[in-house]
Amino acid sequence: MTVTDLGDVGQPDDTTDPIPTLDVGETHEIEADGEVFDRIEVVNPGDGGYLVTGTVRDNFFTMDLGPKFNDSDVDEKEEYLNHRSEVIDSFFVERFGDSDGFGGIDHGIHGPSWDAAEFEFSQPIAEQATEGQAAEALWENTSAVAMHNEMDPGTYGSEDATSVLRERLAEFDRTRLPAREVSDEEKSQVIDGYMDAALAESRDAYIGEHPEFTPDEVDQAWGQFTVENVPASIKDEYGQTLGPWLETNSGDVDHFTTEHHEEPGLNDVGRRLYGSSTPGSPYVPNDSSAKFDDSDSNLEAQVVGRRLLLSAYDPESRRLQGFFRKRFKPTFFGEMRWE
């Protein structure tokens, strides 16, 4: 983008002040415009010319990177951004490229905090250049001005780069963590937790549907409807679905159980999987603690929890997959059905 595309963004002062003679490694600071560049320095790299470098600062904490990110506190935002630093770096290099003088971003992991992330743009200049010519080289020959406009949504008709970055991060957030091998014991814990939650919901729903029975009467008869008494044919169906589910999502499950403030075990993972696949019964209040997207979790756990919640849904139709639509439907003094 050239300066003629800049709308109200003013060009740097065309000062004719000469750049002083610099020894190798010596730097000279030029007054920055304060609109696009926050700092401009000229250095003698020792290769027969000078190099002018302009620094642009931006605050990632105030960027619109999604509702959950926007509503989180600074510590959670910093953790979220640190875990995605490679995605963010590659996005800016790809968009504002090395060929345009962009040298990378210095941010919260090793450099300044994410609230003052620094982008550097450089151009070679002649030793005899003036300060105005040095500043103009940055404006004319780098993508700094384009980045300035695109990171300020809606500026001068430029594309909103923040929205593109937001989608890139969302795509990363939809990607499962690498899976690992899981044991039969781990699968059994998830299955038991899932069945336990399914039976509990069925019991509460039965009480709501049959007011002629008191809760005590239902509980007295409900003794036959326990995890231990679930028919083998139903348990087999659980194993055929929930075993592979755990294998596929084991990386996310491990991360969730580590990050979650309650550090749930695999039984609780099974209960949350059932709760997350339950659209809600008119007789059973929705309990957010029984789901993966617990709003009390930190931001990173919420991201992983969202993936686990959606794992019960078909990615194309966005509807629950077959097994996860089934519910226990026992008769009061009869057999247990899973349909």
Side-chain angles (χ1 to χ4, degrees), residues 45-65:
D47 58 4
Y50 288 170
L51 186 72
V52 60
T53 298
T55 300
V56 179
R57 296 193 184 98
D58 211 336
N59 185 350
F60 278 78
F61 292 156
T62 60
M63 289 184 189
D64 179 11
L65 299 181

Side-chain angles (χ1 to χ4, degrees), residues 113 118 132 134 200 245 278 289 323 329:
S113 172
E118 295 188 344
W245 177 89
T278 304
S289 66
F323 171 85
K329 296 179 180 178

Side-chain angles (χ1 to χ4, degrees), residues 203 207 213-223 332:
R203 170 205 177 270
I207 290 174
F213 299 114
T214 68
D216 287 341
E217 288 175 328
V218 173
D219 285 339
Q220 185 177 4
W222 207 259
F332 191 67

Side-chain angles (χ1 to χ4, degrees), residues 147-266:
M147 188 183 78
H148 170 82
N149 287 342
E150 292 178 16
M151 295 304 291
D152 184 11
T155 301
Y156 313 123
S158 300
E159 182 180 15
D160 179 6
T162 306
S163 67
V164 183
L165 175 59
R166 184 167 61 243
E167 179 52 37
R168 189 74 59 87
L169 292 171
E171 181 181 350
F172 178 86
D173 288 349
R174 289 191 290 267
T175 304
R176 294 187 183 97
L177 293 173
R180 61 171 177 83
E181 291 187 12
V182 297
S183 67
D184 290 340
E185 173 59 29
E186 289 174 312
K187 295 177 184 178
S188 294
Q189 291 177 40
V190 171
I191 291 169
D192 286 350
Y194 193 96
M195 283 194 293
D196 184 64
L199 287 167
E201 187 204 41
S202 182
R203 170 205 177 270
D204 291 348
Y206 195 93
I207 290 174
E209 294 166 355
H210 297 276
E212 66 271 21
F213 299 114
T214 68
D216 287 341
E217 288 175 328
V218 173
D219 285 339
Q220 185 177 4
W222 207 259
Q224 63 183 309
F225 301 125
T226 63
V227 170
E228 293 77 14
N229 293 330
V230 172
S233 59
I234 296 179
K235 287 185 177 180
D236 287 344
E237 186 176 353
Y238 270 58
Q240 291 169 14
T241 298
L242 298 181
W245 177 89
L246 180 59
E247 290 173 342
T248 300
N249 296 279
S250 56
D252 283 345
V253 167
D254 289 344
H255 191 91
F256 181 81
T257 56
T258 299
E259 289 284 334
H260 196 273
H261 64 280
E262 295 178 358
E263 297 187 357
L266 290 176

Side-chain angles (χ1 to χ4, degrees), residues 37 39 41 52-57 96-98 100-106 117-122 138 142-144 147:
F37 292 102
R39 185 176 68 245
E41 286 185 336
V52 60
T53 298
T55 300
V56 179
R57 296 193 184 98
F96 302 108
D98 293 328
D100 291 324
F102 177 50
I105 171 176
D106 194 7
E118 295 188 344
F119 302 82
E120 291 189 346
F121 299 82
S122 299
L138 292 174
T142 75
S143 53
M147 188 183 78

